[in-house]
Short mmCIF file of all heavy atoms in Angstrom, two decimals:
data_model
loop_
_atom_site.label_atom_id
_atom_site.label_comp_id
_atom_site.label_asym_id
_atom_site.label_seq_id
_atom_site.Cartn_x
_atom_site.Cartn_y
_atom_site.Cartn_z
N LEU A 1419 -25.48 18.37 -4.24
CA LEU A 1419 -26.13 17.30 -3.50
C LEU A 1419 -25.06 16.31 -3.07
O LEU A 1419 -24.29 15.81 -3.90
CB LEU A 1419 -27.17 16.59 -4.39
CG LEU A 1419 -27.87 15.38 -3.77
CD1 LEU A 1419 -28.75 15.80 -2.60
CD2 LEU A 1419 -28.68 14.64 -4.82
N ASP A 1420 -25.02 16.03 -1.77
CA ASP A 1420 -24.12 15.03 -1.21
C ASP A 1420 -24.97 13.96 -0.54
O ASP A 1420 -25.85 14.27 0.28
CB ASP A 1420 -23.19 15.65 -0.16
CG ASP A 1420 -22.24 16.65 -0.75
OD1 ASP A 1420 -21.48 16.27 -1.65
OD2 ASP A 1420 -22.25 17.82 -0.30
N VAL A 1421 -24.71 12.70 -0.88
CA VAL A 1421 -25.46 11.57 -0.33
C VAL A 1421 -24.46 10.52 0.14
O VAL A 1421 -23.47 10.26 -0.54
CB VAL A 1421 -26.39 10.95 -1.40
CG1 VAL A 1421 -27.15 9.76 -0.86
CG2 VAL A 1421 -27.34 11.98 -1.96
N SER A 1422 -24.72 9.96 1.30
CA SER A 1422 -23.89 8.85 1.76
C SER A 1422 -24.77 7.81 2.44
O SER A 1422 -25.86 8.10 2.91
CB SER A 1422 -22.79 9.33 2.72
OG SER A 1422 -23.34 9.71 3.95
N ALA A 1423 -24.26 6.58 2.46
CA ALA A 1423 -24.97 5.47 3.12
C ALA A 1423 -23.92 4.55 3.72
O ALA A 1423 -22.85 4.33 3.13
CB ALA A 1423 -25.82 4.72 2.11
N ARG A 1424 -24.24 4.07 4.91
CA ARG A 1424 -23.31 3.18 5.60
C ARG A 1424 -24.10 2.07 6.27
O ARG A 1424 -25.17 2.30 6.81
CB ARG A 1424 -22.51 3.97 6.63
CG ARG A 1424 -21.53 3.13 7.39
CD ARG A 1424 -20.68 3.98 8.29
NE ARG A 1424 -19.83 3.15 9.09
CZ ARG A 1424 -18.68 3.52 9.59
NH1 ARG A 1424 -18.25 4.74 9.38
NH2 ARG A 1424 -17.97 2.70 10.32
N ASN A 1425 -23.54 0.87 6.23
CA ASN A 1425 -24.13 -0.26 6.94
C ASN A 1425 -23.02 -0.94 7.73
O ASN A 1425 -21.97 -1.26 7.18
CB ASN A 1425 -24.76 -1.26 5.97
CG ASN A 1425 -25.71 -2.18 6.68
OD1 ASN A 1425 -26.88 -1.86 6.83
ND2 ASN A 1425 -25.22 -3.31 7.15
N ASP A 1426 -23.25 -1.11 9.01
CA ASP A 1426 -22.29 -1.79 9.88
C ASP A 1426 -22.88 -3.10 10.37
O ASP A 1426 -24.08 -3.19 10.59
CB ASP A 1426 -21.95 -0.92 11.11
CG ASP A 1426 -21.02 0.24 10.76
OD1 ASP A 1426 -20.42 0.23 9.68
OD2 ASP A 1426 -20.90 1.15 11.60
N TRP A 1427 -22.02 -4.09 10.54
CA TRP A 1427 -22.41 -5.37 11.13
C TRP A 1427 -21.66 -5.50 12.44
O TRP A 1427 -20.47 -5.20 12.52
CB TRP A 1427 -22.04 -6.52 10.20
CG TRP A 1427 -22.93 -6.63 9.02
CD1 TRP A 1427 -24.03 -7.42 8.91
CD2 TRP A 1427 -22.81 -5.95 7.77
NE1 TRP A 1427 -24.61 -7.26 7.68
CE2 TRP A 1427 -23.87 -6.36 6.95
CE3 TRP A 1427 -21.91 -5.01 7.26
CZ2 TRP A 1427 -24.06 -5.89 5.67
CZ3 TRP A 1427 -22.09 -4.54 5.99
CH2 TRP A 1427 -23.16 -4.98 5.21
N SER A 1428 -22.38 -5.94 13.46
CA SER A 1428 -21.77 -6.04 14.78
C SER A 1428 -22.15 -7.35 15.45
O SER A 1428 -23.33 -7.66 15.57
CB SER A 1428 -22.21 -4.86 15.65
OG SER A 1428 -21.72 -5.02 16.96
N SER A 1429 -21.15 -8.08 15.91
CA SER A 1429 -21.42 -9.34 16.60
C SER A 1429 -21.95 -9.10 18.01
O SER A 1429 -22.37 -10.03 18.68
CB SER A 1429 -20.16 -10.19 16.66
OG SER A 1429 -19.15 -9.50 17.39
N THR A 1430 -21.93 -7.86 18.48
CA THR A 1430 -22.45 -7.56 19.82
C THR A 1430 -23.94 -7.25 19.81
O THR A 1430 -24.51 -6.98 20.86
CB THR A 1430 -21.69 -6.38 20.47
OG1 THR A 1430 -21.94 -5.19 19.74
CG2 THR A 1430 -20.20 -6.66 20.53
N LEU A 1431 -24.57 -7.26 18.63
CA LEU A 1431 -26.01 -7.03 18.52
C LEU A 1431 -26.73 -8.33 18.18
O LEU A 1431 -26.15 -9.22 17.57
CB LEU A 1431 -26.29 -6.00 17.41
CG LEU A 1431 -25.77 -4.60 17.64
CD1 LEU A 1431 -26.00 -3.75 16.39
CD2 LEU A 1431 -26.43 -3.96 18.84
N PRO A 1432 -28.01 -8.43 18.53
CA PRO A 1432 -28.76 -9.63 18.16
C PRO A 1432 -29.03 -9.64 16.65
O PRO A 1432 -28.92 -8.60 16.00
CB PRO A 1432 -30.07 -9.50 18.95
CG PRO A 1432 -30.20 -8.05 19.27
CD PRO A 1432 -28.82 -7.49 19.34
N PRO A 1433 -29.40 -10.81 16.09
CA PRO A 1433 -29.68 -10.85 14.65
C PRO A 1433 -30.72 -9.80 14.27
O PRO A 1433 -31.62 -9.56 15.05
CB PRO A 1433 -30.23 -12.27 14.45
CG PRO A 1433 -29.68 -13.06 15.59
CD PRO A 1433 -29.57 -12.10 16.73
N PRO A 1434 -30.61 -9.16 13.13
CA PRO A 1434 -29.75 -9.45 11.99
C PRO A 1434 -28.36 -8.82 12.06
O PRO A 1434 -27.68 -8.73 11.05
CB PRO A 1434 -30.55 -8.87 10.83
CG PRO A 1434 -31.27 -7.70 11.40
CD PRO A 1434 -31.58 -8.09 12.82
N TYR A 1435 -27.90 -8.38 13.20
CA TYR A 1435 -26.53 -7.93 13.44
C TYR A 1435 -26.12 -6.64 12.77
O TYR A 1435 -25.02 -6.17 12.94
CB TYR A 1435 -25.49 -8.99 13.03
CG TYR A 1435 -25.73 -10.36 13.57
CD1 TYR A 1435 -26.10 -11.40 12.74
CD2 TYR A 1435 -25.58 -10.61 14.93
CE1 TYR A 1435 -26.33 -12.67 13.24
CE2 TYR A 1435 -25.80 -11.88 15.44
CZ TYR A 1435 -26.17 -12.89 14.59
OH TYR A 1435 -26.40 -14.13 15.09
N SER A 1436 -26.97 -6.05 11.94
CA SER A 1436 -26.53 -4.88 11.19
C SER A 1436 -27.40 -3.67 11.48
O SER A 1436 -28.53 -3.80 11.95
CB SER A 1436 -26.55 -5.17 9.69
OG SER A 1436 -27.85 -5.23 9.20
N TYR A 1437 -26.85 -2.52 11.19
CA TYR A 1437 -27.60 -1.28 11.27
C TYR A 1437 -27.13 -0.35 10.16
O TYR A 1437 -25.97 -0.29 9.83
CB TYR A 1437 -27.54 -0.63 12.65
CG TYR A 1437 -26.16 -0.45 13.24
CD1 TYR A 1437 -25.55 0.79 13.25
CD2 TYR A 1437 -25.48 -1.52 13.82
CE1 TYR A 1437 -24.31 0.97 13.81
CE2 TYR A 1437 -24.24 -1.34 14.38
CZ TYR A 1437 -23.65 -0.10 14.38
OH TYR A 1437 -22.41 0.08 14.92
N PHE A 1438 -28.10 0.34 9.57
CA PHE A 1438 -27.89 1.18 8.39
C PHE A 1438 -28.12 2.64 8.77
O PHE A 1438 -29.04 2.95 9.52
CB PHE A 1438 -28.90 0.76 7.31
CG PHE A 1438 -28.90 1.64 6.10
CD1 PHE A 1438 -27.90 1.56 5.15
CD2 PHE A 1438 -29.91 2.58 5.92
CE1 PHE A 1438 -27.92 2.37 4.03
CE2 PHE A 1438 -29.92 3.40 4.81
CZ PHE A 1438 -28.92 3.29 3.87
N TYR A 1439 -27.29 3.53 8.27
CA TYR A 1439 -27.52 4.95 8.49
C TYR A 1439 -27.08 5.78 7.28
O TYR A 1439 -25.98 5.66 6.80
CB TYR A 1439 -26.89 5.46 9.78
CG TYR A 1439 -25.54 4.92 10.16
CD1 TYR A 1439 -24.40 5.68 9.95
CD2 TYR A 1439 -25.40 3.68 10.76
CE1 TYR A 1439 -23.17 5.22 10.34
CE2 TYR A 1439 -24.18 3.22 11.15
CZ TYR A 1439 -23.05 3.99 10.94
OH TYR A 1439 -21.83 3.53 11.31
N PRO A 1440 -28.02 6.60 6.79
CA PRO A 1440 -27.78 7.44 5.61
C PRO A 1440 -27.54 8.91 5.98
O PRO A 1440 -27.76 9.32 7.12
CB PRO A 1440 -29.11 7.31 4.86
CG PRO A 1440 -30.12 7.24 5.98
CD PRO A 1440 -29.45 6.49 7.10
N SER A 1441 -27.14 9.67 5.00
CA SER A 1441 -27.09 11.13 5.14
C SER A 1441 -27.29 11.76 3.77
O SER A 1441 -26.95 11.18 2.74
CB SER A 1441 -25.77 11.60 5.76
OG SER A 1441 -24.71 11.48 4.85
N VAL A 1442 -27.85 12.98 3.80
CA VAL A 1442 -28.07 13.72 2.56
C VAL A 1442 -27.93 15.22 2.87
O VAL A 1442 -28.35 15.67 3.94
CB VAL A 1442 -29.44 13.39 1.92
CG1 VAL A 1442 -30.58 13.77 2.84
CG2 VAL A 1442 -29.59 14.04 0.57
N ALA A 1443 -27.30 15.94 1.98
CA ALA A 1443 -27.13 17.39 2.15
C ALA A 1443 -27.36 18.06 0.80
O ALA A 1443 -26.89 17.56 -0.24
CB ALA A 1443 -25.75 17.72 2.68
N LEU A 1444 -28.07 19.17 0.82
CA LEU A 1444 -28.35 19.93 -0.40
C LEU A 1444 -28.02 21.40 -0.12
O LEU A 1444 -28.40 21.94 0.92
CB LEU A 1444 -29.82 19.79 -0.78
CG LEU A 1444 -30.28 20.52 -2.05
CD1 LEU A 1444 -29.61 19.93 -3.28
CD2 LEU A 1444 -31.80 20.45 -2.18
N SER A 1445 -27.27 22.00 -1.03
CA SER A 1445 -26.97 23.44 -0.89
C SER A 1445 -27.10 24.11 -2.25
O SER A 1445 -26.86 23.50 -3.29
CB SER A 1445 -25.57 23.66 -0.30
OG SER A 1445 -24.58 23.14 -1.15
N ALA A 1446 -27.52 25.37 -2.21
CA ALA A 1446 -27.71 26.15 -3.43
C ALA A 1446 -27.07 27.52 -3.24
O ALA A 1446 -27.36 28.22 -2.27
CB ALA A 1446 -29.18 26.30 -3.75
N VAL A 1447 -26.22 27.89 -4.18
CA VAL A 1447 -25.59 29.21 -4.17
C VAL A 1447 -26.50 30.13 -4.99
O VAL A 1447 -26.44 30.16 -6.22
CB VAL A 1447 -24.15 29.17 -4.72
CG1 VAL A 1447 -23.51 30.54 -4.67
CG2 VAL A 1447 -23.31 28.15 -3.95
N ILE A 1448 -27.34 30.85 -4.28
CA ILE A 1448 -28.35 31.70 -4.92
C ILE A 1448 -27.69 32.77 -5.78
O ILE A 1448 -28.17 33.09 -6.87
CB ILE A 1448 -29.25 32.36 -3.86
CG1 ILE A 1448 -29.90 31.30 -2.96
CG2 ILE A 1448 -30.31 33.26 -4.48
CD1 ILE A 1448 -30.78 30.32 -3.66
#
Side-chain angles (χ1 to χ4, degrees):
L1419 176 67
D1420 295 302
V1421 178
S1422 71
R1424 180 174 175 153
N1425 197 88
D1426 285 345
W1427 286 266
S1428 175
S1429 61
T1430 66
L1431 295 174
Y1435 309 111
S1436 73
Y1437 51 103
F1438 173 76
Y1439 39 102
S1441 72
V1442 62
L1444 181 66
S1445 62
V1447 181
I1448 304 299

